[in-house]
Amino acid sequence: MNIAVIFAGGSGQRMNTRSKPKQFLDVHGKPVIVYTLEIFQEHKDIDGIILVCIESWIEYTKELTKKYNLTKVLDVIPGGKIGQESIFLGLKTVYEKYDKNSIVLIHDGVRPLINNNVISDCLDCVDKNGNAVTIAPAIETIFRKNEDNTVGEIFKRSDCLLAKAPQCFYLKDIYNAHLKAQSENKYDFIDSASMMQYYGYKLYTVEGPIENIKITTPSDFYIFRAIMDARENLQILGF
């Protein structure tokens, strides 16, 4: 089976929104999280979705899945105190209910600009190599900051990639990595890729669209809305 584990547990503090977390903000009358879920819902090779959510928003989220006919959402569960714990809870739900050889696609609920090709390429990469980390090329200069706030080593852009999502693994591999991390009391991994690399896995990349942003700040939200406006205008013009 191919199961998407979608993390929608952020409170959106950097968005400065008081009424709703960022994943539930509307664009053209539809919440951001629904745009994300629909991509996985419509992909022919995705068998199910586990959604990890803020506990107080679970009932609202379930209402959204019914309203938008998101039939592949198998369960909506509460997240943990930190991202790593929330991802583990999603993986644990899959592990307890489905084949241990399933492929899991770990994705941010506020990353709605992936497409079917990215999902297909990720599944093919896992089948061939055992894992897949979605990336995009670095388009700006990256350097290391020195302790005195001066510019340190400057990296060649051609040598740098930006880690995106989904990040995809065989369920048994990523689940066991989480168990190892817990046994070692390590809760500081920035994402699943960093955890898997730490435990000795060679990671393989799949290039996705540069616009595959994570909506974290108000400017990210406005970029997403502008992209959706442009897509709608192109449809109206028949392109």
Side-chain angles (χ1 to χ4, degrees):
M1 297 184 73
N2 303 318
I3 308 292
V5 177
I6 297 182
F7 173 56
S11 59
Q13 293 179 351
R14 280 175 285 181
M15 284 290 293
N16 297 319
T17 58
R18 297 181 180 179
S19 58
K20 290 182 179 181
K22 56 192 175 183
Q23 57 270 32
F24 299 112
L25 295 176
D26 285 355
V27 174
H28 294 301
K30 185 189 299 184
V32 169
I33 185 63
V34 173
Y35 284 96
T36 304
L37 292 170
E38 284 180 336
I39 298 167
F40 290 91
Q41 170 75 30
E42 294 166 5
H43 195 284
K44 62 182 180 61
D45 293 324
I46 295 299
D47 300 300
I49 300 167
I50 299 296
L51 184 57
V52 185
C53 184
I54 300 171
E55 188 166 11
S56 59
W57 286 80
I58 285 179
E59 289 306 313
Y60 176 72
T61 303
K62 289 181 176 178
E63 292 174 7
L64 289 178
T65 63
K66 293 177 182 177
K67 177 180 179 180
Y68 291 96
N69 198 32
L70 299 168
T71 56
K72 289 185 180 180
V73 176
L74 305 173
D75 207 348
V76 183
I77 66 168
K81 295 179 180 179
I82 59 174
Q84 185 174 321
E85 182 183 4
S86 294
I87 292 172
F88 173 73
L89 291 172
L91 294 172
K92 186 171 182 284
T93 298
V94 181
Y95 195 85
E96 291 173 347
K97 294 183 178 181
Y98 305 103
D99 191 326
K100 308 305 183 287
N101 292 310
S102 296
I103 293 174
V104 286
L105 302 91
I106 300 169
H107 193 70
D108 304 302
V110 288
R111 206 182 282 273
L113 289 169
I114 61 165
N115 53 49
N116 277 349
N117 289 339
V118 171
I119 294 175
S120 295
D121 290 346
C122 282
L123 291 174
D124 290 342
C125 186
V126 177
D127 184 58
K128 180 180 178 181
N129 301 307
N131 59 68
V133 178
T134 308
I135 55 89
I139 57 175
E140 296 191 46
T141 301
I142 298 173
F143 62 83
R144 191 187 306 277
K145 183 180 76 171
N146 290 329
E147 291 183 1
D148 61 355
N149 285 329
T150 59
V151 174
E153 181 183 1
I154 299 176
F155 301 99
K156 290 175 61 177
R157 273 181 289 182
S158 58
D159 292 337
C160 297
L161 298 170
L162 303 177
K164 302 282 189 174
Q167 297 183 357
C168 314
F169 311 92
Y170 282 112
L171 172 60
K172 58 185 179 182
D173 293 339
I174 183 65
Y175 183 77
N176 287 331
H178 272 268
L179 294 182
K180 286 182 182 179
Q182 291 172 12
S183 70
E184 297 171 5
N185 200 32
K186 286 189 64 63
Y187 291 93
D188 57 348
F189 291 107
I190 192 169
D191 61 5
S192 299
S194 62
M195 177 186 290
M196 294 296 276
Q197 186 182 66
Y198 180 83
Y199 289 114
Y201 285 85
K202 183 177 181 180
L203 302 179
Y204 294 84
T205 61
V206 168
E207 186 166 341
I210 193 66
E211 66 267 22
N212 180 17
I213 60 172
K214 182 178 180 182
I215 300 174
T216 304
T217 65
S219 61
D220 298 327
F221 179 79
Y222 296 135
I223 289 170
F224 173 57
R225 190 168 68 181
I227 290 172
M228 299 312 297
D229 287 344
R231 289 181 179 179
E232 185 173 90
N233 290 338
L234 287 174
Q235 288 179 351
I236 291 172
L237 294 172
F239 293 104

